Amino acid sequence: MHRMSRQTVPATSPPNPERFTIAASVDQLLLAASLFWALAANRLFLGQALKDRALAAPQTWAYALALIVLLACLHYLMLAPLANRFTVKPLLALLVVVTAVAVHFMQAFGIYLDPTMMRNVLRTDVGEARELFSWTLLPNLLVYAVMPLLLLSRVRVVQRPWLRATAVRLGTALLAGAAFVGTLLSVFQPLSSLMRNNKDLRYLATPANVLWSVGAVSAAQARGAAQPRQAIGLDATLGAAAAARSRPLVLVLVVGETARAANWGLSGYARQTTPELARLPVINFAAVNACGTNTETSLPCMFAPVGRRDYDESRIRGSESLLHVASRAGVAVHWRDNQSGCKGVCDGLSHDEVVSLNPAGICADGHCLDEGLLSGLDERLAAAAARPGTQLLVLHTLGNHGPSYFRRYPAAFKRFQPACENDDLQQCSQQEVVNAYDNALLYTDHVLASLVAKLQAASDRVDSALVYVSDHGESLGENKLYLHGMPYAIAPDVQTRVPMVMWLSAGLPRAVGLDAACLQRRAAQPAAHDHLFHTVLGLLGVHTALYEPAFDLTSGCRTMAA
Ligand SMILES: [Zn+2]
């Protein structure tokens, strides 16, 4: 680039690199970048903000202009404290790239970049991230990143004495602040009612959403790191009935991933996506509400005594989980992961990962099929049979983790055809996406039925129960939404309704004093992730003051005190 430009310079003038640069002050650069983002990166924000207005009306244009001024001032004010002569170019370069990627994913999947979504992004492992990047990212990178970066590389930052630079920064910030407040007042009424009706709209303002959410997650992490997890259920013990059991009891809790109730055969989906479970005497809970719309929220919440009904993220993240309470009562707890970890739920407890076990023929490219979760289970059940006791085994599946649903099942489960076999869902028709998603459910059905078969085979020596529940649902292109993670208040049902299934070995109802037919009737009533903590304690026979019978799905079906 440089050399080509030089050739256009007349031979009479000496080559002088300064001639090809743009001189700009830190504040000019910040203002230019803020204006660029306000105009170029906020199509979704402006689209949502203006969606109920007549495009031709002059008031609409005035309102749109006011929003752009607000966005530009906001970005200037957010960046001004961070930028000086030395940091301004690296800062803008980084933000330019981040913004380009953010705009791509927001537009492609209808994602809101709130702190929870940011936590997902920051905790995503390499394997997960690889599936999300596709060639369709390139045009966005070119427009939003490469061209601005080329321009930025030509900028020479004007040097000013620091006193003067500080005075100019303060002056510009005051002006931007005044413009922000003045503009805000002029559109206060429509803007405040818009924000009240759609609180999450602010998470579409880009890249302010990225800056804000990264800040919020970092602050929460700093707070969390400063405090050890608070112990809960210090009074937990096994109840008299559980302690007196002569046979071992194993509860297997399978935490599903991204399975939505709408496509669950047992819950009435037009397609039979659960043929193997349908042949078993399982108890299917047809109306279950998830705690969150993403793993980072749902997983810790599912293992907390109080979840969605009085949601407090910092309390949940700052406290021990169901597993610690069970372990304290003397239950042998083990977590086996086939995904991105237990999100703190199993901290300090026994755990392993399928990818490290590397069962034959199960793993490739850093991902393993969910059947790997069952490896060694027969031996574990045989060991359990040898000594009485109570065990809780948690299996964390990869389930229907998107967007590459087709990578979640082996060839034998390619039943619904044609299935999307592209990491980029935009390249497939909606039906192909649904086909791949349903095939992945067929495979989950197979894994669960295989697990039941193993428990069944050991049921003459070990009483056992399986509880399967998914962490959240998924959008499959309805209303142009894909994947999950919509803010809960505006999330569609397909993201918040999840399947939940139980299976009990023949000896279990007697062992724990449970009327299985009654539980079958309870399954027709609504349930939620909030029930999980108390239901599992109830099945295990753990006594603690934390236990709330009202949230134990089995409590109305007891034939004796646990
Ligand atoms: Zn999840």
Side-chain angles (χ1 to χ4, degrees):
M1 273 308 221
H2 227 79
R3 195 165 296 150
M4 273 174 59
S5 319
R6 257 180 214 181
Q7 282 166 356
T8 63
V9 177
T12 47
S13 56
N16 175 3
E18 299 245 320
R19 290 183 67 126
F20 315 115
T21 58
I22 310 157
S25 69
V26 172
D27 299 282
Q28 286 168 332
L29 259 180
L30 292 181
L31 284 171
S34 302
L35 198 60
F36 168 69
W37 284 321
L39 287 166
N42 282 278
R43 212 181 77 199
L44 285 176
F45 176 85
L46 294 170
Q48 282 280 323
L50 300 172
K51 74 170 184 240
D52 296 325
R53 289 167 175 265
L55 254 188
Q59 298 95 309
T60 306
W61 289 89
Y63 186 54
L65 185 67
L67 292 177
I68 289 167
V69 170
L70 286 176
L71 283 170
C73 293
L74 175 72
H75 283 102
Y76 176 83
L77 291 169
M78 283 180 104
L79 295 174
L82 306 173
N84 62 34
R85 184 151 64 88
F86 306 103
T87 60
V88 69
K89 282 177 76 170
L91 176 71
L92 291 184
L94 177 68
L95 266 180
V96 152
V97 176
V98 168
T99 305
V101 176
V103 166
H104 171 75
F105 286 112
M106 288 166 63
Q107 291 184 351
F109 300 118
I111 284 170
Y112 284 63
L113 276 175
D114 58 8
T116 318
M117 181 56 82
M118 190 52 65
R119 201 187 289 274
N120 283 323
V121 172
L122 297 175
R123 300 240 174 114
T124 295
D125 62 42
V126 180
E128 288 177 328
R130 209 172 36 209
E131 290 180 358
L132 281 168
F133 283 88
S134 67
W135 292 109
T136 51
L137 180 58
L138 280 183
N140 275 317
L141 274 183
L142 203 67
V143 176
Y144 295 109
V146 175
M147 298 213 299
L149 281 179
L150 281 177
L151 206 60
L152 188 63
S153 71
R154 292 309 178 91
V155 170
R156 183 175 53 83
V157 181
V158 176
Q159 217 170 319
R160 278 182 178 144
W162 74 267
L163 201 62
R164 191 171 134 69
T166 311
V168 171
R169 177 71 36 79
L170 278 175
T172 319
L174 276 175
L175 275 177
F180 185 84
V181 173
T183 313
L184 189 64
L185 289 176
S186 75
V187 293
F188 189 74
Q189 186 118 45
L191 191 63
S192 64
S193 78
L194 176 73
M195 288 298 185
R196 237 194 332 270
N197 291 329
N198 188 352
K199 273 201 195 103
D200 298 302
L201 185 68
R202 61 205 156 120
Y203 295 120
L204 291 179
T206 317
N209 52 359
V210 176
L211 289 167
W212 173 261
S213 299
V214 166
V217 171
S218 314
Q221 251 161 9
R223 274 198 309 273
Q227 291 169 341
R229 232 168 249 282
Q230 199 190 338
I232 59 169
L234 294 172
D235 60 340
T237 52
L238 274 186
R245 275 197 297 259
S246 56
R247 279 158 59 95
L249 187 143
V250 175
L251 173 58
V252 184
L253 173 58
V254 181
V255 179
E257 172 59 47
T258 317
R260 69 186 211 180
N263 289 45
W264 192 244
L266 286 172
S267 298
Y269 182 44
R271 268 178 176 173
Q272 183 46 287
T273 50
T274 52
E276 295 190 41
L277 286 175
R279 284 194 291 272
L280 294 169
V282 293
I283 301 166
N284 183 60
F285 290 77
V288 180
N289 275 317
C291 178
T293 61
N294 60 74
T295 313
E296 286 293 336
T297 306
S298 277
L299 200 67
C301 183
M302 290 159 85
F303 288 85
V306 179
R308 175 57 48 190
R309 65 187 183 277
D310 183 20
Y311 188 69
D312 179 345
E313 181 181 340
S314 53
R315 183 189 60 219
I316 291 173
R317 289 187 184 279
S319 305
E320 289 182 342
S321 76
L322 165 66
L323 304 185
H324 299 100
V325 177
S327 171
R328 192 159 284 138
V331 176
V333 175
H334 182 76
W335 180 286
R336 177 169 286 180
D337 208 275
N338 194 30
Q339 222 211 97
S340 52
C342 72
K343 318 287 176 196
V345 162
C346 65
D347 278 2
L349 299 169
S350 163
H351 62 94
D352 59 11
E353 288 90 36
V354 178
V355 74
S356 322
L357 302 171
N358 199 12
I362 292 287
C363 303
D365 298 333
H367 282 317
C368 305
L369 292 168
D370 279 333
E371 273 168 298
L373 287 164
L374 309 185
S375 74
L377 186 64
D378 293 327
E379 292 78 355
R380 184 177 284 272
L381 289 168
R387 57 181 180 88
T390 308
Q391 282 197 35
L392 172 58
L393 173 63
V394 187
L395 305 179
H396 188 201
T397 69
L398 194 52
N400 276 41
H401 197 289
S404 308
Y405 310 119
F406 70 100
R407 296 185 192 279
R408 303 290 165 255
Y409 50 87
F413 293 84
K414 292 184 181 180
R415 270 176 239 164
F416 300 116
Q417 289 288 357
C420 179
E421 300 209 342
N422 197 316
D423 288 322
D424 181 5
L425 296 177
Q426 319 285 312
Q427 306 301 311
C428 297
S429 71
Q430 198 187 347
Q431 190 55 54
E432 288 167 339
V433 172
V434 172
N435 287 344
Y437 183 86
D438 287 348
N439 286 335
L441 283 183
L442 280 175
Y443 181 59
T444 294
D445 169 66
H446 173 70
V447 172
L448 293 176
S450 308
L451 173 56
V452 168
K454 286 180 184 296
L455 296 176
Q456 177 75 53
S459 65
D460 57 334
R461 292 152 291 149
V462 180
D463 294 322
S464 59
L466 158 73
V467 177
Y468 165 77
V469 61
S470 178
D471 61 345
H472 52 77
E474 184 87 322
S475 281
L476 296 174
E478 301 88 1
N479 299 318
K480 296 217 163 54
L481 291 178
Y482 288 91
L483 308 180
H484 52 265
M486 281 289 272
Y488 203 88
I490 55 168
D493 280 356
V494 286
Q495 292 193 21
T496 57
R497 290 293 188 91
V498 291
M500 176 162 154
V501 170
M502 286 188 197
W503 173 88
L504 313 175
S505 74
L508 189 105
R510 201 156 46 89
V512 304
L514 187 63
D515 176 353
C518 165
L519 190 59
Q520 189 70 262
R521 288 192 296 276
R522 174 63 184 87
Q525 307 295 317
H529 276 167
D530 279 37
H531 286 102
L532 195 66
F533 184 95
H534 306 279
T535 304
V536 169
L537 288 186
L539 284 170
L540 293 171
V542 171
H543 285 199
T544 160
L546 285 174
Y547 172 74
E548 293 179 63
F551 285 92
D552 177 355
L553 294 167
T554 69
S555 65
C557 301
R558 292 291 174 168
T559 55
M560 64 174 186

